[in-house]
Amino acid sequence: MIISERKIKDNCFFIRKVKKYLCLTKQEISKYEYLIPVFAYGIENNLSNFFIKLDKKLVLISIEGISVNVKEIPLKENITDSEELKVYVQVLTGKYYTYISKDLDQIKSEVSIEKNKNYLTLVSIIVIVMIALGGYYKYKKDKEEKLLKLLKKQQERLRIAQSLSFEKQLQIKEFISQKFIEKVANLINNLPNLQKIQYITLSYKPILGEGNAIKGINGEISYKVKSVYPVEGAVKDGKFFSFTKKDVIKGVPQRKKDFKSLKECGIYLLQSGGDLISLKPLKIFYKKDNYYEIKETLNFMKDCKFYFENINLKDQNYNFTVILREK
């Protein structure tokens, strides 16, 4: 699927709000025509990664530059909570996706798309022209494909030129990861005795500029708290009450400080139960079911140079994947 400023094919749908075309191949139309309002909704709202729940599957949609990609994954568990669905997708894919909780009818009523009314007639004409003027059509098609490739390359060059450097992005992720540990500690320490954390997750939210250039990165903390008494915003959760909240860590480049060595941090994580995933970069998966052990590990890591690739602190299932770097 391609997003274009002009109608380059007959199987295109015009999105009025943003004045752009969404163009699909015949194979894509036969498979995803019912999802066209969802694609348009994401384009209208400038979403890069989002998903919807349809029956017993999740449809993950990514918009990268002028391309739209779709991935369908089965929902093996009966998850209805929106935050748990986001955590499920993040753990499964390693990426943060925005959850669109609206159903298809709601989305259809909100977006404004227009299909070529003479689609079938035009397709027939194109077939005749292809038979009569095959060489010319091929020339025209090749020219359009070259134009699309050139446009994609130019947009990618613009995005790279305007984006933060890769090193700067890693430094910001390191800062967010360390701030995350501090916020988790403060959150747990300040909870009333009759409240308990069910899960905490961290995701990185890029701040996009022109051409989807990454101008900055923020961290988003999502957490769910279970309580034995009703508090404002809580809902009934079995015998208890629960509420979900989010917090934002504004990303800034890592400030200079004295860090433990890469070797010291790596050995600690591996000896305390971590699994080595790769050496370059040094990536370690860590999992514990004991709260006090994970708390001790996170406290040690405050002085390591690292960033979380993903982290999910769920009751009795605390795990994260971390990438360590040299100081």
Side-chain angles (χ1 to χ4, degrees):
M1 280 162 273
I2 298 291
I3 304 167
S4 175
E5 297 291 338
R6 63 188 183 90
K7 183 166 73 70
I8 55 173
K9 296 179 181 177
D10 295 301
N11 45 338
C12 292
F13 299 80
F14 183 65
I15 305 171
R16 290 180 184 173
K17 184 176 179 181
V18 292
K19 296 180 179 178
K20 291 184 179 179
Y21 288 90
L22 178 66
C23 303
L24 292 76
T25 64
K26 289 182 181 179
Q27 292 82 2
E28 288 170 341
I29 282 187
S30 64
K31 190 173 181 181
Y32 297 124
E33 188 167 13
Y34 74 104
L35 287 173
I36 288 171
V38 183
F39 303 147
Y41 182 91
I43 294 168
E44 284 187 356
N45 291 277
N46 198 28
L47 299 175
S48 55
N49 295 300
F50 57 103
F51 72 99
I52 62 170
K53 181 183 176 186
L54 295 175
D55 298 325
K56 294 184 179 181
K57 69 177 180 180
L58 300 178
V59 181
L60 280 59
I61 301 166
S62 296
I63 300 177
E64 301 172 359
I66 62 170
S67 300
V68 181
N69 300 305
V70 181
K71 182 179 181 181
E72 296 179 350
I73 58 175
L75 188 59
K76 297 179 180 178
E77 303 172 25
N78 185 24
I79 305 173
T80 56
D81 183 85
S82 60
E83 293 300 323
E84 290 185 10
L85 276 172
K86 282 189 263 186
V87 172
Y88 178 83
V89 171
Q90 186 177 354
V91 171
L92 209 61
T93 65
K95 288 170 60 177
Y96 177 83
Y97 284 79
T98 301
Y99 176 48
I100 308 301
S101 58
K102 301 175 181 179
D103 59 36
L104 277 175
D105 289 335
Q106 285 178 295
I107 294 174
K108 286 178 183 177
S109 67
E110 291 185 20
V111 299
S112 179
I113 53 180
E114 183 177 292
K115 184 178 179 181
N116 191 333
K117 295 177 183 177
N118 299 318
Y119 172 71
L120 293 175
T121 305
L122 286 171
V123 169
S124 300
I125 293 171
I126 288 172
V127 170
I128 295 170
V129 171
M130 284 177 67
I131 295 171
L133 301 169
Y136 174 74
Y137 179 78
K138 185 177 185 304
Y139 163 78
K140 192 175 180 181
K141 184 179 179 182
D142 290 345
K143 192 174 180 180
E144 287 175 349
E145 288 179 353
K146 286 179 181 178
L147 181 63
L148 278 174
K149 288 179 182 178
L150 180 61
L151 177 63
K152 193 170 183 179
K153 284 182 180 178
Q154 287 175 339
Q155 289 190 334
E156 182 62 15
R157 288 194 191 104
L158 177 66
R159 186 189 68 80
I160 293 173
Q162 294 183 340
S163 291
L164 289 172
S165 69
F166 181 68
E167 178 63 28
K168 191 71 72 176
Q169 291 181 43
L170 292 186
Q171 290 176 1
I172 292 175
K173 286 183 178 181
E174 288 169 355
F175 171 81
I176 290 172
S177 296
Q178 294 190 348
K179 278 291 180 183
F180 171 78
I181 293 176
E182 294 176 17
K183 282 190 172 283
V184 168
N186 290 335
L187 175 65
I188 293 173
N189 291 337
N190 292 323
L191 273 183
N193 290 333
L194 298 179
Q195 289 184 5
K196 182 180 180 182
I197 296 288
Q198 281 190 284
Y199 69 76
I200 308 175
T201 62
L202 169 68
S203 58
Y204 303 110
K205 299 282 288 183
I207 302 168
L208 301 180
E210 185 179 352
N212 282 336
I214 299 176
K215 310 295 289 184
I217 302 173
N218 286 337
E220 184 176 278
I221 302 174
S222 298
Y223 61 93
K224 184 175 182 180
V225 178
K226 180 176 282 190
S227 175
V228 299
Y229 56 91
V231 293
E232 186 177 354
V235 295
K236 192 74 174 175
D237 190 358
K239 295 181 179 179
F240 302 95
F241 294 85
S242 66
F243 59 92
T244 56
K245 284 191 175 182
K246 289 184 179 179
D247 196 3
V248 173
I249 303 173
K250 292 192 177 294
V252 298
Q254 178 65 285
R255 58 181 180 271
K256 292 183 178 179
K257 58 179 282 187
D258 291 329
F259 292 103
K260 295 183 175 75
S261 70
L262 175 70
K263 180 179 178 181
E264 183 180 358
C265 294
I267 288 176
Y268 176 87
L269 288 176
L270 291 173
Q271 289 184 343
S272 59
D275 293 322
L276 180 65
I277 297 177
S278 69
L279 286 172
K280 290 185 179 181
L282 182 54
K283 184 189 294 190
I284 296 173
F285 175 74
Y286 196 87
K287 182 177 180 180
K288 290 289 180 182
D289 57 10
N290 185 291
Y291 165 75
Y292 295 100
E293 288 184 21
I294 201 74
K295 180 180 177 182
E296 183 180 334
T297 301
L298 292 176
N299 189 54
F300 175 88
M301 290 177 62
K302 284 193 299 185
D303 295 320
C304 294
K305 192 171 178 63
F306 75 97
Y307 65 91
F308 291 115
E309 189 173 70
N310 57 67
I311 181 166
N312 181 15
L313 305 181
K314 191 172 182 179
D315 190 23
Q316 304 300 314
N317 183 12
Y318 311 98
N319 66 81
F320 59 78
T321 302
V322 66
I323 294 179
L324 297 166
R325 302 212 301 155
E326 189 59 82
K327 58 182 179 178

